[in-house]
Every structure is written in C-alpha cells, then in structure tokens.
Amino acid sequence: MVNNVAKKNTLRKSLLVIPLAFAMSCAFNVANAEKLPELKINKAKAELGKRLFFDKRLSGDAAISCATCHDPEKGYGTDKALSPGYPGNGHFRNSQGLINTAHKKVWLHDGRLGTSLNDVTREMITEDYIMNMDMRIMQERVKQDPKYVEMFKAAGYGEPSNGSVRKAIPEYLKTLTSKNSPYDAGKMSDSAKAGEKVFKDKGCVSCHSGALFSDGKAHNTGVPENFDVFLDPMNHQAFIAFAMFQGIENYMNLKRDPGAYVQWKKADKSNMGTFMTPSLRELTQTAPYMHNGMIKTLEEVVDFYNKGGGEDSHKDAAMKPLNLKDQEKKDLVAFLKSLSGDKLTGADYVWSEKYSGEYPVIADWNNKPN
Amino acid sequence: MSNTTRKILPSLITASFVACVGAATTVVQAEGASPAPLAPLDSIKMPIPPDNKQSDAKTELGKLLFFDPRLGGDASVSCSSCHDPEQGWAWAEDFSRGYPGTTHWRNSQSIINSQYMERQFWAGAAASGERQAPAAAKGGVAGNGENDIMEARLALIPDYVKRFKDVFGDEWPLIGNAWRAIAAYERTLIQTDTPLDKYLKGDKKALNEEQLRGKAIYEGKGGCIECHSGALTTNQEYVNIGVPPSKRWQKDGLAQITFRFEQYAKGQTEKGYRKAKSDWGLYYRTKNDWDKGKFRVPSLRYNTYTAPYMHNGVFFTLEEVVDFYNKGGIDEEGNTTLFPDNKDKRIKPLGLTDDEKSDLLAFLEAFSGEEMVTPKPKLPEYAPLFTKAELEAVKK
C-alpha cells in the first residue's frame, strides 16, 4: 500500500480536525508505521452529517438513529455480539465500528457494497431490518425542521433532499478517523514492538496489511456460527429477509452466514463463509470481535489464530497452528492494542443539542410553495 | 367495552353470499337516468374473485392476520390498529393515526361492507381487497412493511406455516396469500340487518314516522339518492361535492410532512408537488384537471359508528354533514373545495327546514344496525425453526 505523506493543505479552514497526531509522529518517526492518508473535509457538510447521524427521525418509526447501532462510546459499534435491529426484529451480524470507515473501498462484513459510503448510507437507511425508512418521508421530515433548512443551505446543498442527506453523512464519517494511537504517535511499548514482529513473522500481515491493516479482501478463517442468529426468531427473520433478498437458493434452510458468497455465488460454494478482512485499528473500543461477535477478547482472538483458526473445509491456507509462546501471545495483544487511540466522543464528533420533539409548523402554509 | 358489543354472527355472514337478486349497483348511470332505488344489502352478491374462493379456514387465517402487527414495519401496527372494531372498524379522528412517527393524511375507512365496492380507498386507488391490503401494509404512513421481512416473520410462526399450507398449499407462507386471506376475511365483515334493510324487506315498523319523512327527503328534496343509491347506498361514481381542505394542514407539522410525502407517493409532478394545498383525489389516478377534488361516493351504511366524515374527516357529526349539504356544499365558515369548477352541479342549496334536517338525520341512523365488535384473537407465537443439534450438525 502507498504510504501517503500528509497532504499540504493541512491548514485549510475546511478541516474539522487538525491531524496533530500525524504531525507529531513525524518527529518520532517509526520506521515503517503505515499512516492513513488525510481526508479533506468540508466542515459545514460534516456538521450537517453529524446532526443527521444522531437523529432518530431518520428511521421509519423515528425510534432509532445511526448511533443506536454505532455508539461513539463503543468505537461507533456496540458491545453486543449481534447488532440490534430495527424495532420489531433483531440482526444477524456484529455492528461494525465506523472509525476509519471512510478509508475503505469496500464495506460491510461481506463486502457487498464496493461503490461509496453514499450507497452504504442508503442501505442503512432504507433496509427494512435496519432503519426501514421511506426516503421520501425522511426528506419531508428534514424539510420540516428549520435548523436543517439552514444547515443544508450553509452546506451548499440548497433545499434539503434525500440525495444530500446521503452526501452529508459520509462527509461526517470522514471525521471519524484514528486519533493518537501509540502506533501512529510512535509511542509503542517494547512489548507492542515485539508483538509487531510476531504479527509480521506469523503471517497476520498477509491479510491484515497496509495502513488499515486490511487487504480489502474476503477470507475464510473458520469463525464459528453464532447460533443466536438462528435460535432467536427476531434475529432469524432479519437473516431470512436478507438471504431472500440476496437471492440465495434454499434460504429457508440456510444454517450459516453465507458471507461474501453473496457477491459471487460460486457454483461449488467454496466462498461460503468468507468475510472481509477487518481493519485492526481501534479494536480496544469495538469488542466483541468477528462478523458475528463470537470472540469476546483480543486474547481469545490470538488463541483462535494460534490454533489455526476454526473449522471449515474451505478455510484459507494461511490459517495454520502458530505455536506461539505465552510471551509472544502477550506481545501480539499489546501490538493490537497499540493500534487503538482516543475515543471520538467530544462535541467535535457527537451532536449533543436536543432535537425538538415536535415538528414546527410551516406558517402561512396556504401561500407558501411546498 | 360495554354490553352493547356482540360477536359477529357467522350465520349472518354465510347468508349474505347466497343469492343475487340482481340489483344493478355496478351499472354506470346514464345522464338523467333515475338512480337505483335503495335496496336491501343482501339483494346483491359479494363479488368474490374466482382465484380467491371463501372458506372458513381461509377467513379464520385472514382474521388472525388482520389483527397481527407483525404484518407491518416495526411489528407494532396491524390493520386493526387503524381499523379498530371499537371505532367502527376505522379510526375516530379526522386523519387516521399513522405508522409510528407519522400521521396519515386521510380519514380511515370502515372495513364493514367495504368489499362490496368495485374499487378500494377514498379515490379508488386499489382495484380489489387483494390489492388494497399490500398497499396498506407497505405504505410509508400506514404499515410501512416490506414483503421480505413480513414473509420471513410468517415462516417463523409455526401455526401460520400450518395454516398457509392447509389453505393455500404453500410450503412456506407466501405474502401474496396473506393478502388473499385478509381480503376473504374482510368479505365476511358485512351488515345486512339494519333497520333500513328490515324496512325494505317488508317490516314496515322498522322505520318510525320521523325516519319515513326523512326517507322522503333523502329521495326527494335532499337529492341524496342521486349519488347514495342502490343497495350499497352509493353509485360508486367519483364526485367533487365541495368538501373543504383540512385545517390540520395549517397547524400541524407532522401533517404537513405527510401531505408533501403523499404528493410524491401519488405520482405528482414537481409543479403539482410545489403548489398542491389540498387532496387532489381522483386526479392522482387520472391526471385530468377536471378530476381534482373528486372522491368515490361512500356508502352511508354503518355510519353511526364511523365519525368523523369525509375523506379528510372535516365533519365530526352527521349534523354538520347535513348542514354542509343544505348550504350547497359549503361549511359553516363558508369554506368549500379549492376546485369549485369541478364541483358537481347536483350539489346546491337545499332549503331544508330544521324539522326536515332532523328527519333526514333520523333516517340516516337507519343505515346502521347494532355495533359489530369482535374480540381480538389470540395470535400465534414465533418459534425457532432449527434446533441447536441441527445447527451443530452442519458440515462446513
């Protein structure tokens, strides 16, 4: 992966967060620490996106917001194995932490969206088991709130529309990037440094590569199924609806998460149960782990790899027992932890002003064009 | 509820399907032709589509589904939420309640007798009960459900799996068959024993003096029979009678949101979306300017229990309705339709005296029998589809 040097425009007013961490890390310069490229952010658009992200009125019954499943206190994920769903159903996967999601090229555990965060945002808002929102109603709700009318204008979008909602939220997501991790700051402990070596020597890096520690590809590591997906009808109904929509044959009988199989339905099904290599940044904020939250701690993750992963006839060839010594395991965990930085919870990231409980009336309605 | 509630009698239901005496409710009236006389409801036949025959097992299933909120987005709203048996199988506010977080923009229609109608909804947007039900369950301000999750839910309710198999032969419940079962159930929700029906079938004591005078006004000076004719008390034409726009548009933010949404949902042009300030009714279907503000002539049966009245519920009592007609389609503050050019010529000041008005009102009461209430059925529960052992046995 290209090691991007911080771009020159660091001081442009449009930047919401001045990447101090990057500037500082140059001084200590860790030999081959991979930096995330800096993102250009339009402040007014990001601010609007922030308000939208925390606004429950973006869901069909106005009961949940993006932040319900992407909680700032939990690295913009949740601490449950399986994400909550839209009221009336559950979910069948772990809610992904969103820090650094703007650096990705492919999204979701199965990588089924590879176009843009705009499309991911649309999926989240409209999918019936996530936010179940008719975007035409969403647009009219937004238009009814004078604060939004003002903010859309300030952001250069003109009149609120569902198209610009789907642009503003990704702009906000760009502000959610790693901050002050010991790794980026060049402040890794000796144990973490030793762990970095284990990480490279034992082949973790073959999949977890680059500044995001992800090759952006799908692999089968043999993570066991989370049976709660199938034993709890609330979760199972979301799973069935998903599998049905994805056109998977015999979806009523399916007893495993198909993973990236939904992208290319290989005739021999050899890509069943492959999942996108996740980023390893901010892991201390996002336990439990894996697409279905089946592994609770980083220590257990390391044990999982030490055993050569789980059981699956199509498991990736790179997954084999590692014979790690106890110290190596500890160092590896220390390294993984050094990839996590600050929580992104202050006012820079979280919309804390209240939303008005009722929609204000548009006065003189008869004489105003809609 | 009170002791006036009573179960819907199955005997009434089956009786109604028997004979068709041939009242011509579906014949479009020629200009100037005299309207079909009032007739007993059981003189006409419930239209039953050849591919959705009635059966007890089907209507039982349809009843469960009608009351089941899992046929909706967040599993909190069922058909019966807005068509509450205790509110005349409708909703007792001007606009129907909406999906949580929304309001509806039209008055909820009663289910009672609705399946006799050629087309469903205030402006006839759906061609049958089978097509109406999905529109209701999926519409953003009604059920806001999606086929895939609703079908998934049905598959996880063993009792439904069994019933869909018995009734339709489905391996797994198909959502289209849920709508068929609901429509079949709705076809049982009829009332054929009103005082009016009894009178028309020969029980001359079924109407009192006052009501008989009212009947004469209805068929004469009042001209109601021009539109509210035949066994169904409607010729099912689309007419603009001058109903003014709802005032809720002026003072309720939530209602303003739904209003604009509906312009999109009903396929308005950009220009129409900008300038619409009332419900354009039949126009949304035909896109003819002359259809603005036209609505299907509603049945007047069961009206005692279905206040408020009109497509937008602007009138809370039948007194107000009669005053409105008496003034020639103008409300007491002088408001009328925003499309006066489209207003029907038959709607003109009637010059009814107070006595005549109260006679007419007394007669309108004869269009409703006893209140029809049914206990909410006990709904079947979800159960896991697989056992742990089955999951453990999966070979990967």
Side-chain angles (χ1 to χ4, degrees), chain A residues 331-351:
Chain A
D331 293 342
L332 196 46
V333 169
F335 170 64
L336 292 175
K337 288 185 175 165
S338 78
L339 303 176
S340 297
D342 298 350
K343 281 190 175 180
L344 306 182
T345 48
D348 281 348
Y349 305 100
V350 177
W351 186 267

Side-chain angles (χ1 to χ4, degrees), chain A residues 103-170:
Chain A
H103 289 284
K104 291 191 174 179
K105 301 273 178 294
V106 180
W107 291 271
L108 307 168
H109 289 295
D110 52 17
R112 68 184 182 278
L113 287 178
T115 45
S116 65
L117 275 176
N118 184 314
D119 283 339
V120 181
T121 301
R122 187 196 29 140
E123 164 112 350
M124 291 291 138
I125 295 174
T126 58
E127 189 53 73
D128 50 18
Y129 53 81
I130 301 185
M131 293 175 88
N132 196 31
M133 181 85 246
D134 183 323
M135 290 217 276
R136 297 169 301 184
I137 297 179
M138 177 187 74
Q139 170 178 307
E140 300 307 335
R141 284 184 183 166
V142 169
K143 274 177 77 172
Q144 195 73 24
D145 181 332
K147 175 96 184 165
Y148 275 131
V149 174
E150 197 183 284
M151 290 179 83
F152 274 79
K153 215 177 197 173
Y157 290 133
E159 185 182 31
S161 69
N162 74 50
S164 33
V165 168
R166 287 186 286 127
K167 288 183 192 146
I169 290 178

